[in-house]
Amino acid sequence: MISSVLVANRGEIARRIFRTARALGLSTVAVYSTADAWMPYVDEADAGVHLPGNAPGETYLRSELIVEAALRAGADAVHPGYGFLSENAAFAQAVIDAGLTWIGPPVDAISSMGSKIEAKKLMAAAGVPVLAELTPAEVSADDLPVLVKASAGGGGRGMRVVTRLADLAAEIDAASAEALSAFGDGTVFCERYLARGRHIEVQVMADQHGTIWAVGERECSIQRRHQKVVEEAPSPLVERIPSMRPALFDAARKAAAAIGYVGAGTVEFLADENGAFYFLEMNTRLQVEHPVTEETTGLDLVQLQFAVAAGERLPPEPPPTVGHAIEVRLYAEDPLHDWQPQTGTLHRFELPADVRVDSGVADGSEVSPYYDAMLAKVIASGADRAAVARRLAVALQQARLHGPGTNRELLVWILRHPAFLAGDTDTGFFEEHGVGGAVDDAVVRVSALAAALADAAGRRTPVRVPSGWRNLVSQPQRKSYRYGDQVVEVEYRLTRDGLVVDGNTALISLDCGQVVLEVDGVRRAFAVAAYGGSSAGLVCVDSPLGSVAFTPVERFVDPAAQVAIGSLVAPMPGTVIRVGVQVGDVVQEGQPLLWLEAMKMEHAIAAPADGVVGELKVAAGQQVEVGAVLAVVGEEA
């Protein structure tokens, strides 16, 4: 019998598992790093055990510390969630050896799927279609393009698409280094790359008595940097080719049976437009995108994991899939700077109540550089796919997300894109359609005006006249904001006749928290929130036109805060993992000079212009803060 469960994870998935555990009457135990001490999941657990340190290698990847924490807190079961140690066979064995119940598949099943190379051989023997493996030495020009993949792990790390044979060796080295850093195993292999493939996966659930369910399929084809962005159930491709579903389900059940699988798992396939599909990998854990299966089947997959671990039997057949569900992954990243992960205080996190939000954060949470940048999974469901997409887009648009930048506008753009609505969602979606969702310049300008007016309203005189009001004609009020790399200048006058500003703009009402403007005869409300003071910090403007975050530009700049022309600064906190140049090297604009690792991803820092490396201020292994000068490129050494 299970009475208390420790979740060997953090953030969103820990909260998700705690929710089901409480419903089952189980007590809960959290583990947390120093950086996570005040995260919501820790407060929601009945008990918490501190894992000193911040980096995963010091904390959530230390199996001995996790097992010790479970025993110390009196837990009798361990749920691994996803990521970290969830697919680590040695950890599962350590949990079992400690006398605890492992809420996961058998150790041998985890081991057999731990290497993608060996997994493909097992699946081929079981009659599951696979793509032929290519050893790097045998790849020829006729095989291109190929995909270099890490044999261990997942999440898009250790993956490279190679289109030129001359690039193969360098890409293999880069993929191997990234895999070694992420998973402790640098083994990579190659396979044929389907540039227009569809990523289809089947949720399986198996009990200890031989029953194996194929619980519907999901499509996760829209990906960026080999990481999923949008997931849905059922798959538009499978819906279009009805004969495909029975074949997929049969292959998934064969895969699970071949390794004696028990518990929740996902068999992932790559399919073409004609319905042919090939085994990619099997994730021996709960998937990030499991909510869309829950929303279309009525199942609680975490509850089933507990039930199966306790030896209960599954019914002979799973429930049918009804309706449609779409999930988007909301990330803390900067759309204005190549989607680099963002850190900092999340001042406000609010989404409408009519969508499901699985999140690890709340108002005031700190987004740290040590872990994945995902803030939440936002899920909508209903009878009709198009209606679900519209409702999810509106919910994202209405969200109040104040703090680090997010990919919210990109998600809205995807959900409203004609190709997405038509179900044309292969893995080349962004290559074909670009990466959209940027806020229009006109929206940025009117949002900056609203921010300036709200700031003036917040500094009213004792007789309630907003700052900048003049009885007689005078110079306009001026305020500057930084939006990405551009500075937005605002000029306006508040007179007895109202707002005077360039363009056909009228002020309808004014308050420090909301400004109503009429632009070209159309009235709209702009909600304005400022953090860190009126002349510094962050100003967030939300409206039906889009959400914009500004940094006020101070009138007098501290010279000590300036950096030399040609400086490369750290766009985020992280660790320098490689330095590719030396002082005196001649470099070209855009050439990668060094690499940072942050939020489980590798980021290249490139030369801002042609020139010579004049200074190197960091070395490999060094931890740096955001804004730190890493190197300086000048015209001469």
Side-chain angles (χ1 to χ4, degrees):
M1 295 293 292
I2 299 171
S3 62
S4 176
V5 60
L6 177 143
V7 176
N9 220 293
R10 63 177 297 279
E12 171 268 323
I13 189 56
R15 297 181 84 185
R16 165 69 188 91
I17 296 165
F18 289 162
R19 187 166 69 243
T20 289
R22 286 193 297 271
L24 295 173
L26 307 178
S27 63
T28 55
V29 180
V31 287
Y32 60 93
S33 67
T34 302
D36 280 342
W38 303 108
M39 294 297 282
Y41 81 96
V42 180
D43 292 336
E44 292 172 1
D46 296 313
V49 179
H50 181 216
L51 306 176
N54 290 318
E58 303 173 303
T59 54
Y60 301 108
L61 291 176
R62 294 280 298 277
S63 58
E64 75 281 8
L65 296 183
I66 303 288
V67 172
E68 179 190 343
L71 296 173
R72 193 190 320 166
D76 46 34
V78 172
H79 193 304
Y82 53 68
F84 294 131
L85 293 169
S86 62
E87 295 178 281
N88 186 302
F91 174 57
Q93 188 63 59
V95 170
I96 295 168
D97 291 344
L100 304 168
T101 298
W102 168 248
I103 313 295
V107 173
D108 289 345
I110 300 174
S111 297
S112 62
M113 293 293 102
S115 163
K116 292 184 179 68
I117 295 174
E118 296 305 315
K120 290 179 70 171
K121 294 176 182 177
L122 278 171
M123 293 300 103
V128 178
V130 300
L131 284 169
E133 177 196 340
L134 301 168
T135 61
E138 67 185 12
V139 174
S140 68
D142 293 337
D143 297 317
L144 299 176
V146 297
L147 183 65
V148 181
K149 296 178 68 174
S151 181
R157 293 176 293 280
M159 295 179 71
R160 298 288 191 281
V161 177
V162 180
T163 57
R164 298 192 318 147
L165 202 58
D167 298 334
L168 182 63
E171 294 291 13
I172 286 173
D173 289 344
S176 179
E178 190 171 272
L180 182 65
S181 173
F183 316 121
D185 182 349
T187 306
V188 298
F189 66 98
C190 301
E191 65 184 16
R192 183 163 56 93
Y193 178 62
L194 299 181
R196 311 297 305 185
R198 307 281 283 243
H199 189 117
I200 313 294
E201 60 189 35
V202 179
Q203 175 72 56
V204 296
M205 180 66 70
D207 64 18
Q208 299 177 27
H209 311 283
T211 299
I212 302 175
W213 282 358
V215 197
E217 86 282 345
R218 300 184 286 256
E219 179 156 348
C220 315
S221 298
I222 297 184
Q223 301 179 10
R224 188 163 46 84
R225 297 169 178 161
H226 306 296
Q227 293 189 322
K228 300 166 187 174
V229 178
V230 180
E231 300 113 341
E232 58 183 312
S235 158
L237 176 67
V238 177
E239 288 283 275
R240 180 165 59 82
I241 308 175
S243 62
M244 188 177 175
R245 183 169 287 125
L248 272 172
F249 286 7
D250 180 62
R253 286 190 292 262
K254 283 180 179 177
I259 59 173
Y261 200 78
V262 174
T266 298
V267 187
E268 300 196 353
F269 300 95
L270 191 65
D272 63 24
E273 288 296 324
N274 299 316
F277 58 87
Y278 308 93
F279 173 84
L280 282 177
E281 62 183 343
M282 183 174 184
N283 295 130
T284 54
R285 53 170 169 79
L286 199 65
Q287 289 281 87
V288 176
E289 57 271 23
H290 76 273
V292 294
T293 297
E294 294 184 328
E295 293 297 311
T296 53
T297 61
L299 295 171
D300 181 333
L301 293 175
V302 176
Q303 186 273 326
L304 288 174
Q305 286 185 293
F306 281 110
V308 166
E312 297 182 22
R313 291 180 179 270
L314 294 172
E317 297 293 332
T321 295
V322 177
H324 205 92
I326 302 174
E327 171 183 295
V328 294
R329 300 191 188 189
L330 185 65
Y331 281 95
E333 53 189 12
D334 186 355
L336 300 175
H337 293 96
D338 196 28
W339 308 96
Q340 293 170 345
Q342 295 287 282
T343 60
T345 302
L346 190 61
H347 300 290
R348 188 175 180 187
F349 182 78
E350 178 185 310
L351 283 108
D354 63 340
V355 291
R356 172 175 169 176
V357 180
D358 285 13
S359 172
V361 298
D363 289 0
S365 292
E366 286 292 324
V367 181
S368 79
Y370 304 106
Y371 316 111
D372 189 89
M374 188 172 73
L375 298 176
K377 304 177 309 194
V378 188
I379 308 103
S381 59
D384 176 75
R385 181 177 183 268
V388 169
R390 287 194 299 269
R391 188 155 59 85
L392 185 53
V394 169
L396 289 166
Q397 198 170 44
Q398 293 176 343
R400 298 291 181 260
L401 308 170
H402 299 167
T406 74
N407 65 334
R408 180 248 304 271
E409 303 296 340
L410 171 64
L411 299 176
V412 172
W413 175 80
I414 293 170
L415 293 168
R416 291 175 171 168
H417 197 284
F420 176 81
L421 295 174
D424 297 333
T425 55
D426 58 46
T427 54
F429 186 88
F430 291 122
E431 285 75 13
E432 180 175 354
H433 303 292
V435 180
V439 179
D440 186 83
D441 283 345
V443 176
V444 173
R445 289 194 297 273
V446 72
S447 297
L449 173 62
L453 291 169
D455 178 51
R459 294 185 283 112
R460 292 177 186 269
T461 69
V463 292
R464 306 294 292 165
V465 177
S467 173
W469 188 90
R470 294 292 185 272
N471 187 43
L472 300 172
V473 175
S474 181
Q475 292 295 312
Q477 295 296 299
R478 295 181 176 89
K479 195 162 182 64
S480 299
Y481 295 96
R482 186 171 297 281
Y483 176 68
D485 292 329
Q486 72 179 101
V487 174
V488 184
E489 303 278 355
V490 176
E491 288 190 1
Y492 68 92
R493 290 204 305 268
L494 289 174
T495 72
R496 65 177 67 190
D497 297 320
L499 175 67
V500 177
V501 66
D502 289 340
N504 189 15
T505 303
L507 176 62
I508 305 302
S509 65
L510 174 61
D511 190 85
C512 59
Q514 179 169 282
V515 178
V516 180
L517 297 172
E518 187 176 280
V519 181
D520 294 328
V522 180
R523 182 180 298 189
R524 289 188 177 92
F526 296 80
V528 183
Y531 304 94
S534 60
S535 61
L538 181 71
V539 179
C540 300
V541 182
D542 297 299
S543 77
L545 297 173
S547 297
V548 186
F550 299 105
T551 303
V553 177
E554 296 188 39
R555 294 179 64 186
F556 304 104
V557 179
D558 181 0
Q562 303 299 296
V563 297
I565 295 175
S567 295
L568 282 76
V569 298
M572 68 202 79
T575 302
V576 179
I577 56 173
R578 296 203 305 280
V579 178
V581 293
Q582 297 178 342
V583 172
D585 285 355
V586 177
V587 297
Q588 296 180 329
E589 180 180 354
Q591 176 183 337
L593 305 187
L594 50 87
W595 289 261
L596 287 180
E597 184 176 67
M599 293 182 168
K600 303 197 298 183
M601 294 178 62
E602 187 176 298
H603 308 273
I605 309 300
D610 295 348
V612 177
V613 179
E615 294 181 69
L616 274 177
K617 296 182 175 291
V618 294
Q622 185 173 334
Q623 186 80 24
V624 296
E625 295 299 321
V626 63
V629 177
L630 309 174
V632 179
V633 175
E635 293 183 358
E636 59 184 31

